Structure formats: C-alpha cells, structure tokens
Amino acid sequence: MDVWEHSIGLWEVLHTLNIKTLSLRLFWIQWTDLRTESLSKSLSSLTRLETLNVSVFAESSCPWKALHGLNIKSLRLSLSPNGKCKDLQAESLYQSLASLTQLETLRITLDPDSRGLWRGIHCLNIKRLSLKTMEWGGLHKELMSLSLSSLTQLDTLCIEMECDNPGLWEAVHGLNIKSLSLSGLWIPTGIDVTHSMSLSKTLASLTHLETLSIDVEHESPGLWEALHGQNIKSLSLSGVRKSSGIDVKHAETFSQSLSSLTQLETLTLHVHTYIALQVPQSLKHLNIYSDTMLPSKVRELVDSLAIYTHSIGIKLEFGCASSIDPPERIPVQEYIPFQQELAARKNVAVKRFRIYELPDSAGYAMSVRDIGDVDDAASNILEDDVYKRFAKYIDRYIINRISILIEISPGSLS
C-alpha cells in the first residue's frame, strides 16, 4: 500500500484484517502525534500479522512509535536517502524495536551516518539482521561494533553496501554468528576487496561461522586469499545483482583457496563461464550455474570429480551458448547425447537432465522437457537465490539452458 499526505485514511481500511504480511510505503507525510496514533491502532489490530515492511520517504519525522508492541516476527525498515535518523527519532526507534518481543528478523536501510541507527539496534533479541546502505563513508565503526556485539542471539548477518571498508570488517570482528552475507546494493558494484588482509582476519575471528555468501563484482587474488583456510561448511559466490556470473581470471588462486576449505560441504557458484575446480574431499554438494558452457566442458567437469573417494551430489545448470553478450547460442541437440554418456557410467546416477527452451512452439513462453528418467524426489529441490539470479540473467538474452542433477559414487568412472 502506498500512502501520501492526502490519503492517510487508507491505512484505516486495514483494521482487523487477517493478513500475515503487510508492506507500507509512506510518502512525505507530516507525522503528527494524531497520525502516528491512528497508524498504530490499525497495525495493532492486525493480530495475525507476522511480517511488516515499512518504507518512509521523509526528511524530518518518522512514525516509529506506531510500531510499538506489535507481535511481528519480521520487520523491514527503509528510510529515504535524504532522511537521517536523528537523536530524538533514534530514541523512539530504539523503544519501539525493544518492545517487539517476538521479533526474529530485522532488515534496516538507513543513512549510515546516523549515530542513532546503531543505538536503535542495541541489545535486541533478534536472530537475523540485514543492514543496507548506499555507502559506508560515515561509518561509526565503534558504535557499530558495540551494537552488533550486543546482539547475543544473532546468528545471521547480511550486509549490503557499495564498497568494502576496513572499518566494517573491524566492526564485524569476533561476532558469534553462524551465517554472513556480503553483497552489493542497488547499483552493480558489489565487493571489490582491496583490504583482503582485514577481511581475512575478520573471517578467521568468526569461530562459529558455517555459511558465507559473497557477491563479487571484480574478483581478485586478494579476495580468494582471504577465503584461504577458513573453517566454513557452506560457501556461495556469485556476481552482483542483475549481472552475469563471476568472470574468474585468477582460477589457480581460486582453486587453491577452495581446496584449502577442509570443512566445506556445500559449494554454490555462479560463474560466467566454466572453469576447472579443485574442491576439497569434504565436499558433499556442488551447485554450479554457468552462463555459458560447451558440451565438452560438461564431460570435463564430471571426469575431474571422479577421483573423489566419497559420494558427491552435483547440480549443474548452464546456458547453451559460447557467449552471452552478444549471444552465440549452441543448439540443445548437441548436449542431448551427453545424457546417454552420463547414464552409461556405472558410478553416476542421473537424477535429472532437463532442457529449458525459449521460446516454445507457440513463440512466447518457455518449454520444459526431460531427457531420460527423472527422480521426482531429487528434482523437487528448492531453488536458491543464486540460481534465481542466474536464470533471470540467462532468460534476458533468450538463451536455452540445461539443468543436470547427478550423484557420483566412490571409485573410478568407467
């Protein structure tokens, strides 16, 4: 719901609805006590509400008091780029957030130069926190460090930013989180790590960290070196939003870092084109999404994994092309014989060999067809965020793609 100054009566129609999710965008409203109270009554009447998203476009006042005492589990707050969380508003924000006793997830987009932001999140009992900002130039690293370390229940931290910052890595240092996500925001910049030593020390200090996800704009030896030897169980690497996969130019350094992750069980990659990988023996699940892939590279990948002495599940999804922009498509017929080659290998179980073609025979929609037998249980797997980003990118260029699920058993391949 979008609400403007002249239409503030709109939120009154929400009263006592049985909804679970509500998104409000509040445009340039002068927040008097009466208007804030009116919004508060409407929100508090939504007894089944679990998720609330509030975007405020204003330069001075904000309706934080209206959030007080809600029984929601997830809250997303966004303040317009021109707005700052001033001291008086920060106290109101802090009191309202502290009153949300059921809150588990907080996503907040505010000006990082607002000291009140860090006061607002201090000592909350949340489990998941997402911080978004256009830039970190005014980062108060001491305040941020104090606030983050005060979140004793926090296990997941997501930071979306325009560029990396040593002060940011210092603020995250030593947290007891299990999952960390680092990504770009709004414009396709991602994380160009120029302070890899600081990042490496921070990652090493997160002794409980199990899952790490990074969006990369410009991969560099420094980034791969920062990952070297970390004790994580799950690693996800992809290009920035609305962009292609990672164009890996330092493949040897990257592969060495991967092989050093001796605790790694799940690896998810979105790369622009296929590269040879040296993965650790601990790996159980490998998800590779490649914008382009030659038929010969599919065989090369399977052969490279044949040496491992344990079972490994592979989800491979790729565009049937040798290039994307401009598109140089490869007919799907050139990949179909490879399904029989896979099925003939005694230590490879083909769970799915699926072809997505654009457009279909009607000329306007995607057609989906399976080659060979399909393991329905294995095929009904969740599509992760990296996959969704990859699929959206490929579809933009009207590129056919193929999805393969295989299980490789121990021993040499025939």
Side-chain angles (χ1 to χ4, degrees):
M1 180 180 288
D2 289 357
V3 183
W4 296 75
E5 176 80 16
H6 62 275
S7 59
I8 56 177
L10 273 176
W11 60 61
E12 294 181 5
V13 305
L14 298 171
H15 200 76
T16 68
L17 294 180
N18 288 322
I19 55 176
K20 293 183 178 181
T21 301
L22 172 64
S23 295
L24 289 174
R25 295 201 300 170
L26 308 173
F27 292 92
W28 311 111
I29 298 173
Q30 295 298 316
W31 288 101
T32 64
D33 289 342
L34 186 61
R35 288 174 174 175
T36 302
E37 184 179 355
S38 174
L39 176 59
S40 177
K41 288 181 178 179
S42 289
L43 293 178
S44 60
S45 74
L46 306 176
T47 56
R48 298 189 63 195
L49 191 66
E50 296 180 355
T51 300
L52 176 62
N53 305 319
V54 180
S55 297
V56 180
F57 295 82
E59 293 183 358
S60 54
S61 60
C62 296
W64 304 136
K65 288 183 180 180
L67 308 177
H68 198 278
L70 298 178
N71 290 321
I72 54 177
K73 295 181 179 179
S74 177
L75 175 64
R76 183 194 299 267
L77 293 179
S78 177
L79 188 63
S80 65
N82 295 328
K84 293 184 183 294
C85 191
K86 296 180 172 55
D87 290 341
L88 186 60
Q89 299 171 27
E91 183 61 28
S92 174
L93 174 62
Y94 170 69
Q95 291 179 2
S96 289
L97 291 178
S99 74
L100 305 178
T101 57
Q102 306 301 313
L103 192 66
E104 297 180 354
T105 301
L106 175 63
R107 300 178 177 89
I108 193 162
T109 305
L110 289 173
D111 191 307
D113 200 29
S114 300
R115 297 173 62 90
L117 165 61
W118 313 118
R119 162 65 174 161
I121 65 174
H122 195 75
C123 287
L124 298 180
N125 288 322
I126 54 176
K127 296 179 180 179
R128 292 170 290 275
L129 174 64
S130 174
L131 295 172
K132 301 182 182 182
T133 179
M134 283 292 288
E135 58 176 312
W136 293 86
L139 178 69
H140 300 284
K141 65 179 182 181
E142 294 83 5
L143 285 173
M144 184 180 181
S145 180
L146 285 172
S147 290
L148 290 179
S149 61
S150 75
L151 305 177
T152 56
Q153 304 302 313
L154 191 68
D155 61 27
T156 299
L157 175 62
C158 175
I159 297 176
E160 298 193 17
M161 58 185 176
E162 185 175 330
C163 63
D164 70 313
N165 186 305
L168 171 62
W169 310 137
E170 292 175 25
V172 176
H173 195 277
L175 296 180
N176 290 324
I177 54 177
K178 295 181 179 179
S179 177
L180 175 63
S181 175
L182 304 169
S183 62
L185 177 67
W186 289 316
I187 56 178
T189 53
I191 300 173
D192 184 2
V193 177
T194 56
H195 309 96
S196 58
M197 185 62 70
S198 179
L199 174 59
S200 180
K201 289 181 179 179
T202 293
L203 292 178
S205 75
L206 305 177
T207 55
H208 293 87
L209 190 66
E210 297 180 355
T211 300
L212 176 63
S213 175
I214 303 180
D215 288 355
V216 183
E217 180 190 19
H218 305 297
E219 61 91 46
S220 65
L223 173 60
W224 305 139
E225 290 168 4
L227 297 178
H228 196 278
Q230 303 295 339
N231 291 320
I232 52 178
K233 293 183 178 180
S234 177
L235 175 64
S236 176
L237 297 168
S238 67
V240 293
R241 297 179 186 277
K242 301 180 181 179
S243 183
S244 66
I246 306 170
D247 188 7
V248 180
K249 299 184 183 300
H250 304 88
E252 183 176 354
T253 305
F254 177 42
S255 192
Q256 289 175 353
S257 289
L258 287 181
S259 62
S260 75
L261 305 177
T262 58
Q263 306 300 314
L264 194 67
E265 297 179 358
T266 301
L267 175 62
T268 300
L269 297 176
H270 177 197
V271 293
H272 185 59
T273 188
Y274 169 73
I275 59 171
L277 295 174
Q278 183 180 353
V279 298
Q281 290 282 347
S282 57
L283 199 67
K284 297 179 180 178
H285 307 283
L286 176 61
N287 307 311
I288 298 181
Y289 311 124
S290 181
D291 299 334
T292 66
M293 199 162 191
L294 299 173
S296 60
K297 295 299 181 182
V298 181
R299 181 183 298 108
E300 181 180 319
L301 171 63
V302 176
D303 287 342
S304 70
L305 295 171
I307 62 174
Y308 296 104
T309 58
H310 65 279
S311 297
I312 182 169
I314 303 174
K315 179 183 179 183
L316 176 63
E317 191 122 359
F318 55 85
C320 300
S322 57
S323 70
I324 293 293
D325 193 7
E328 293 187 9
R329 302 172 180 84
I330 298 175
V332 295
Q333 288 76 11
E334 295 190 22
Y335 296 90
I336 292 177
F338 190 64
Q339 187 274 339
Q340 295 178 338
E341 291 185 36
L342 279 172
R345 295 176 182 253
K346 64 179 182 180
N347 294 318
V348 175
V350 181
K351 305 291 186 178
R352 180 175 73 191
F353 195 100
R354 181 167 294 171
I355 297 174
Y356 298 85
E357 292 186 270
L358 284 163
D360 67 358
S361 57
Y364 58 84
M366 174 185 290
S367 65
V368 180
R369 59 190 172 107
D370 291 312
I371 306 298
D373 296 330
V374 176
D375 186 326
D376 292 331
S379 294
N380 293 330
I381 56 177
L382 291 175
E383 297 176 346
D384 55 64
D385 290 339
V386 178
Y387 167 80
K388 293 176 182 177
R389 195 180 309 175
F390 152 78
K392 189 174 183 179
Y393 175 75
I394 293 296
D395 291 348
R396 192 186 345 167
Y397 291 94
I398 317 179
I399 301 291
N400 297 330
R401 67 181 193 272
I402 291 179
S403 175
I404 302 174
L405 286 178
I406 59 176
E407 183 84 22
I408 297 181
S409 301
S412 60
L413 295 175
S414 58

